[in-house]
């Protein structure tokens, strides 16, 4: 499979160093399939394929999500409202009022990318008997997948995953069921993660906090 090319909103700034843009608040839902009578079913998550015409991450498989609108509100409540709205718009799934959303992770786009987001991701359980339906505009396909299977397909070039999605799937692959994942993250502290993109010869690497070179990368190395 041909690797999707970055959209225009993802292109790094190759010019002289400048002030990074302010990240726009965003939110997404990592929707987990309920066990129900299939209580022994392995943990599965909902992934959506973004349109090939999208300006941001075209052709990439992602969790439902998007930018927070003024109507969603402010603070964590606004992020939660945004996540539920995006799930409805992009996958046709409505979460009941009061449904538990567990804060899972928070990712900030690297400073060298012009279009930046401060994205909060929440874990939630899918309502019973509500198959996902891609909206045909922003998203073109929808699928339930086991985290390990999605990661293997990404390695094999069968589908393309965004960097934060890969790491979130790795974290979820440690759990056997959705209940185990929710119990692990319920009430936990979630730190904001801002990756850095650094030059490594003719290639580029993405570093996370704690990786060697993350704090010591020189400005000239940033792409």
């Amino acid at each position: 499979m041909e690797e999707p090319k970055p959209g225009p909103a993802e292109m790094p700034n190759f010019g002289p160093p400048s002030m990074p843009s302010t990240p726009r608040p965003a939110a997404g839902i990592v929707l987990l399939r309920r066990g129900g009578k299939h209580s022994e079913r392995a943990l599965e998550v909902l992934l959506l394929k973004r349109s090939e015409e999208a300006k941001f991450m075209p052709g990439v498989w992602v969790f439902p999500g998007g930018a927070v609108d003024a109507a969603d509100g402010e603070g964590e409540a606004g992020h939660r409202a945004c996540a539920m709205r995006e799930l409805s718009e992009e996958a046709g799934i409505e979460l009941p009022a009061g449904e538990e959303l567990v804060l899972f992770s928070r990712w900030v786009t690297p400073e060298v990318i012009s279009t930046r987001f401060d994205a909060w991701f929440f874990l939630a359980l899918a309502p019973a008997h509500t198959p996902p339906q891609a909206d045909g505009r922003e998203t073109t396909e929808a699928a339930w997948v086991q985290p390990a299977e999605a990661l293997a397909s990404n390695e094999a070039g069968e589908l393309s995953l965004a960097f934060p999605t890969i790491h979130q799937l790795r974290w979820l692959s440690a759990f056997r069921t959705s209940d185990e994942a929710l119990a692990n993250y319920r009430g936990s502290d979630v730190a904001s993660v801002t990756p850095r993109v650094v030059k490594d010869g003719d290639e580029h690497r993405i570093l996370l906090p704690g990786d060697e070179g993350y704090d010591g990368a020189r400005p000239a190395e940033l792409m």
Side-chain angles (χ1 to χ4, degrees):
M1 183 189 75
E2 183 180 353
E3 187 74 12
K5 296 180 180 180
E10 299 170 79
M11 297 303 294
N13 176 16
F14 293 102
S18 60
M19 289 294 293
S21 63
T22 301
R24 184 177 178 182
I29 281 192
V30 182
L31 195 66
L32 309 177
R33 181 130 54 167
R34 288 183 183 272
K37 62 181 180 181
H38 305 291
S39 58
E40 297 304 314
R41 182 169 54 201
L43 182 151
E44 292 178 320
V45 301
L46 175 64
L47 288 178
L48 303 175
K49 185 179 181 182
R50 289 182 55 79
S51 166
E52 300 287 352
E53 285 71 46
K55 293 182 179 180
F56 191 76
M57 294 193 293
V60 175
W61 288 80
V62 298
F63 302 120
V68 176
D69 289 342
D72 294 323
E74 299 180 350
E76 185 167 337
H79 284 82
R80 291 175 180 272
C82 170
M84 295 177 67
R85 173 179 56 76
E86 291 287 345
L87 177 64
S88 173
E89 292 175 357
E90 295 185 347
I93 294 178
E94 300 277 353
L95 290 182
E99 181 71 17
E100 181 183 31
L101 270 65
V102 175
L103 186 58
F104 175 44
S105 66
R106 182 179 175 185
W107 292 79
V108 180
T109 310
E111 294 182 355
V112 294
I113 306 299
S114 58
T115 301
R116 304 181 66 214
F117 297 96
D118 181 352
W120 299 32
F121 290 89
F122 299 90
L123 296 175
L125 285 174
H129 312 300
T130 51
Q133 181 64 51
D135 65 14
R137 295 177 291 101
E138 292 186 70
T139 62
T140 58
E141 296 181 52
W144 289 106
V145 295
Q146 294 182 23
E149 292 178 350
L151 292 169
S153 295
N154 180 71
E155 286 288 331
E158 297 168 355
L159 58 79
S160 180
L161 298 171
F163 183 81
T165 307
I166 290 172
H167 283 269
Q168 291 177 90
L169 289 171
R170 286 175 179 169
W171 299 337
L172 288 173
S173 66
F175 303 102
R176 187 178 63 87
T177 67
S178 300
D179 287 339
E180 288 180 4
L182 287 166
N184 182 80
Y185 286 97
R186 189 177 287 121
S188 64
D189 293 329
V190 173
S192 173
V193 178
T194 305
R196 290 185 86 172
V197 183
V198 299
K199 182 182 287 187
D200 186 4
D202 294 332
E203 302 294 329
H204 303 93
R205 293 186 297 126
I206 302 178
L207 302 180
L208 292 174
D211 289 344
E212 183 177 356
Y214 179 88
D215 294 321
R218 297 187 300 274
E221 293 177 318
L222 295 178
M223 296 298 294

